[in-house]
Amino acid sequence: MSVKGLIVGAAFSITAAVLCTFVFGVVVSSSFIMAGSSIMYIGVFLQVIVPFLVVFSIAGAQFKRIDQVSEGVKWLISIIMAFIVVTYAGSLGSLTTHVIVWGDKLENLAVGDIVAWGFIYGFLLLPLAAPVSRWLIFLLMDCCKYFEDSKEEDI
């Protein structure tokens, strides 16, 4: 387990969360004729930051092991990571964001339905999320290799 990889994974996850939030916001805003407000960007960021921090920090810490496995196993890791991120963002992340942004209690929401739909989103968006997750893992591995091989003076 690499502490440098853990730190690089955490920094990478914050960058990836900001980038994914921006891309999602542009897609939603352009498809609904600028319907997205700034609160939407904050909400999407809050939904994805926790699972990104968890999965990319773990992947960064274990990057030497991930880098040595076959492509099939890397795709399996990507699929699992994508499912975790989308399911968390669609269920617990959505509920947490609702409480943080709007300050409402959860008694006015159908919490069971939101959690169930989070799992449905996890499966339905897997064909889109898995390749993105694979690409992000590829970028993370490159970042970890760069910082692992570098010296203190190079950074």
Side-chain angles (χ1 to χ4, degrees):
M1 186 163 156
S2 168
V3 175
K4 257 189 196 178
L6 183 74
I7 294 168
V8 170
F12 183 83
S13 66
I14 293 169
T15 306
V18 169
L19 187 68
C20 288
T21 300
F22 177 73
V23 169
F24 179 78
V26 167
V27 169
V28 169
S29 294
S30 65
S31 62
F32 293 114
I33 309 168
M34 300 307 284
S37 63
S38 60
I39 198 78
M40 179 199 65
Y41 291 102
I42 295 169
V44 172
F45 178 77
L46 290 173
Q47 288 176 349
V48 298
I49 189 63
V50 172
F52 271 30
L53 275 171
V54 171
V55 297
F56 287 124
S57 295
I58 292 171
Q62 301 294 328
F63 83 95
K64 288 183 181 176
R65 290 183 184 171
I66 293 174
D67 200 37
Q68 296 172 354
V69 298
S70 68
E71 279 298 312
V73 174
K74 287 180 185 175
W75 273 104
L76 181 63
I77 291 169
S78 301
I79 289 169
I80 292 169
M81 287 174 64
F83 181 75
I84 289 170
V85 169
V86 173
T87 303
Y88 180 90
S91 59
L92 297 176
S94 179
L95 294 171
T96 305
T97 301
H98 180 79
V99 170
I100 290 172
V101 173
W102 287 281
D104 288 343
K105 304 228 184 305
L106 296 177
E107 58 198 27
N108 296 336
L109 295 175
V111 175
D113 292 341
I114 292 173
V115 171
W117 275 102
F119 281 97
I120 293 170
Y121 292 151
F123 285 114
L124 291 179
L125 293 176
L126 208 52
L128 178 66
V132 172
S133 176
R134 177 66 183 103
W135 179 68
L136 288 173
I137 288 175
F138 175 75
L139 289 177
L140 175 65
M141 294 302 113
D142 284 347
C143 289
C144 286
K145 284 179 193 175
Y146 175 78
F147 284 107
E148 189 70 24
D149 295 339
S150 65
K151 298 178 183 145
E152 296 283 329
E153 302 88 39
D154 295 340
I155 298 176

